[in-house]
Amino acid sequence: MSNESQDRVQEQAREAIRGSQGQHRGRQFALWMGALIIGAILGWLGIPALNQLFDFIATVFTRLFQFIAVPTIALAVITTLSALGAKKETGRIFAHAVTYTLLTTICAAAIGLVLYLWIAPGNLPVDLINSGVSNVPQKLEKVTYYDHFLSVIPNNMLQPFLSGNVLSVMLIAAAVGLALAFMPKTENRAVLLKGLLGLQEVLFTLIRALLWILPVGILAFSAQLSAQIEAGVIVGALGKYTLVILGGNLIQFFIVLPIFLVLRGLNPIYVFRKMAPAIAVALFTKSSAGTLPVTLASAEQRLNVHPQVSRFVLPICTTINMNGCAAFILVTSLFLMQNGGFDLSIGTMIAWLFVAVLAAIGNAGVPMGCYFLTLSLMSGIGAPIGIMGIILPIYTIIDMIETAENVWSDSAVCAMTDHDLASELDAQPAPAQH
């Protein structure tokens, strides 16, 4: 057989494999959507025994995500920095990721500010605010913003991993990764790197197994949410405030982020479809850090993002790219200050926009992270934190939508960075398609 014939046969084989993979992914996506719909219907039926089963399954999946998330973050950052630390691509990847993160986060906060000025939520009755104080989580109202940053600085190697402190884990991982990048190229270093890469392969095998059984988790999460809505748990009396928060999130999700992708030459529908599993998991787990294993797997296996980009950008974005959190911090802070009689000039609001952006960047990607951070900020300036107790019952739905938006933003930043730098990276998998 001639070389030309062999090449043709090999190309046909590759096309057949790609076609098979595309069909498999299509069936997988249909299975996830089916699980979502069926779960919503079963949860809405309100069968106690079935709801208890779904609560159990949802708890199991949440624990599995938490179990695998922290080591995934640590190993992804260590191995990527150790390999890229001395390369010029590292700085460019980081610069692109930070630039897109700042732009999207500022846009999210600005949309929240515009909606707040337009919808103009009124003040709450004083007696209602006072009654909300009892609902504020104990002692958290006394935590200052300085305390929040001090908690990020680790004082030993193991505690951040045991407590799931994502920012501390990131600091440790970045330090270790850079140390490996710039230390002498000895045999000990090579052995250590091989061990770390081997551990990372084990984690990705576990992630693939988790994706394989993910429809069961989606079924349970969807049923759990549907049962909560049907029972009247997720309701709110703060109509205009809630409208500002949710409206801003939806505008950022469906309009602003797709515009960013289009401007960079990417198809937002294609990117969304490929990253849909991660966005769905984020919606139900309410943790962008806990969703990271699925986000990484979706980016590399479905969107075909280069591993040098995905394993560097996504762990970083998990902790600094908080579009939904920035909008929540700004709108909630303005709402509390307004009810506390603070002078809210346009200049003050714009200043708080940048405070919210910086605070969101320093927030951990864990459930209710934005709530606790806002509580710390407001307690520090003497705002009426009783409102945080009133907000608490409706925060579940807000947290879900914010987290899904954060992961969608992470995915967009990763896809744009990969697209921008595709020609400079090693051609291992193909860059994100557009």
Side-chain angles (χ1 to χ4, degrees):
M1 185 181 291
S2 67
N3 289 338
E4 184 178 342
S5 299
Q6 288 178 340
D7 291 342
R8 191 181 305 114
V9 169
Q10 289 175 353
E11 181 60 30
Q12 289 173 348
R14 284 193 290 268
E15 287 292 337
I17 291 171
R18 282 195 289 266
S20 175
Q21 289 175 338
Q23 291 175 356
H24 171 71
R25 288 169 182 169
R27 288 194 298 269
Q28 195 177 45
F29 183 75
L31 186 61
W32 284 330
M33 291 301 101
L36 188 68
I37 295 168
I38 293 170
I41 294 171
L42 292 176
W44 193 264
L45 294 176
I47 302 172
L50 204 55
N51 287 343
Q52 287 180 356
L53 175 62
F54 288 138
D55 287 345
F56 173 77
I57 295 172
T59 302
V60 168
F61 270 85
T62 300
R63 292 174 69 92
L64 288 174
F65 287 132
Q66 292 171 338
F67 164 75
I68 206 168
V70 173
T72 298
I73 292 171
L75 287 173
V77 173
I78 291 172
T79 55
T80 303
L81 284 179
S82 66
L84 300 181
K87 297 182 181 179
K88 63 179 182 180
E89 290 92 342
T90 308
R92 291 181 60 79
I93 292 171
F94 182 75
H96 278 70
V98 170
T99 300
Y100 287 134
T101 290
L102 286 173
L103 288 175
T104 56
T105 307
I106 289 171
C107 282
I111 289 168
L113 177 57
V114 170
L115 285 180
Y116 187 86
L117 292 171
W118 179 43
I119 297 174
N123 289 345
L124 298 174
V126 176
D127 56 344
L128 180 61
I129 295 174
N130 292 336
S131 68
V133 174
S134 61
N135 293 327
V136 176
Q138 293 299 309
K139 297 182 181 179
L140 285 169
E141 70 272 16
K142 298 178 182 177
V143 178
T144 67
Y145 200 50
Y146 296 107
D147 293 330
H148 170 73
F149 275 107
L150 280 176
S151 70
V152 173
I153 309 300
N155 58 3
N156 66 66
M157 183 68 76
L158 295 178
Q159 185 58 35
F161 291 89
L162 296 175
S163 62
N165 189 325
V166 178
L167 288 175
S168 293
V169 169
M170 282 282 293
L171 283 176
I172 293 172
V176 173
L178 290 172
L180 285 169
F182 294 106
M183 70 184 291
K185 305 298 187 286
T186 63
E187 183 180 349
N188 289 337
R189 176 187 179 276
V191 170
L192 180 57
L193 273 176
K194 282 185 178 179
L196 292 172
L197 291 169
L199 284 173
Q200 191 174 45
E201 288 177 13
V202 170
L203 281 178
F204 273 88
T205 302
L206 292 174
I207 291 169
R208 285 193 291 271
L210 198 56
L211 288 176
W212 191 78
I213 60 171
L214 186 58
V216 178
I218 290 176
L219 179 75
F221 284 127
S222 179
Q224 188 183 50
L225 174 62
S226 180
Q228 288 177 327
I229 294 174
E230 196 276 334
V233 174
I234 304 176
V235 293
L238 309 175
K240 288 188 174 181
Y241 162 80
T242 306
L243 181 61
V244 172
I245 294 286
L246 298 185
N249 283 327
L250 294 175
I251 290 171
Q252 181 77 3
F253 195 105
F254 290 108
I255 298 176
V256 175
L257 291 174
I259 288 174
F260 269 95
L261 288 167
V262 169
L263 290 176
R264 299 310 304 144
L266 290 157
N267 183 341
I269 297 175
Y270 175 84
V271 176
F272 178 84
R273 188 160 54 87
K274 295 301 181 183
M275 298 304 298
I279 296 167
V281 171
L283 181 71
F284 296 120
T285 60
K286 296 172 285 188
S287 171
S288 50
T291 307
L292 181 62
V294 184
T295 313
L296 278 167
S298 298
E300 293 181 14
Q301 298 171 19
R302 294 170 58 83
L303 192 57
N304 294 325
V305 170
H306 199 292
Q308 284 183 329
V309 173
S310 61
R311 298 181 190 187
F312 185 71
V313 170
L314 288 174
I316 291 174
C317 281
T318 294
T319 55
I320 70 171
N321 190 33
M322 297 287 181
N323 287 189
C325 189
F328 175 82
I329 292 173
L330 176 62
V331 172
T332 305
S333 297
L334 294 178
F335 190 52
L336 265 66
M337 287 189 288
Q338 173 187 304
N339 277 268
F342 288 71
D343 177 32
L344 290 180
S345 64
I346 293 297
T348 301
M349 291 181 176
I350 292 174
W352 271 95
L353 185 150
F354 289 100
V355 170
V357 169
L358 293 174
I361 289 173
N363 180 52
V366 296
M368 295 191 70
C370 300
Y371 180 91
F372 295 140
L373 188 50
T374 307
L375 183 56
S376 299
L377 278 171
M378 291 296 98
S379 63
I381 64 169
I385 58 170
I387 296 176
M388 298 301 294
I390 301 170
I391 293 170
L392 188 58
I394 62 172
Y395 186 72
T396 297
I397 189 67
I398 293 173
D399 200 15
M400 291 175 67
I401 294 173
E402 282 179 354
T403 308
E405 181 191 327
N406 289 340
V407 171
W408 173 221
S409 179
D410 294 348
S411 304
V413 170
C414 183
M416 289 188 291
T417 302
D418 181 75
H419 173 71
D420 291 351
L421 302 178
S423 61
E424 301 180 27
L425 299 171
D426 301 328
Q428 290 185 357
Q433 298 181 25
H434 55 281

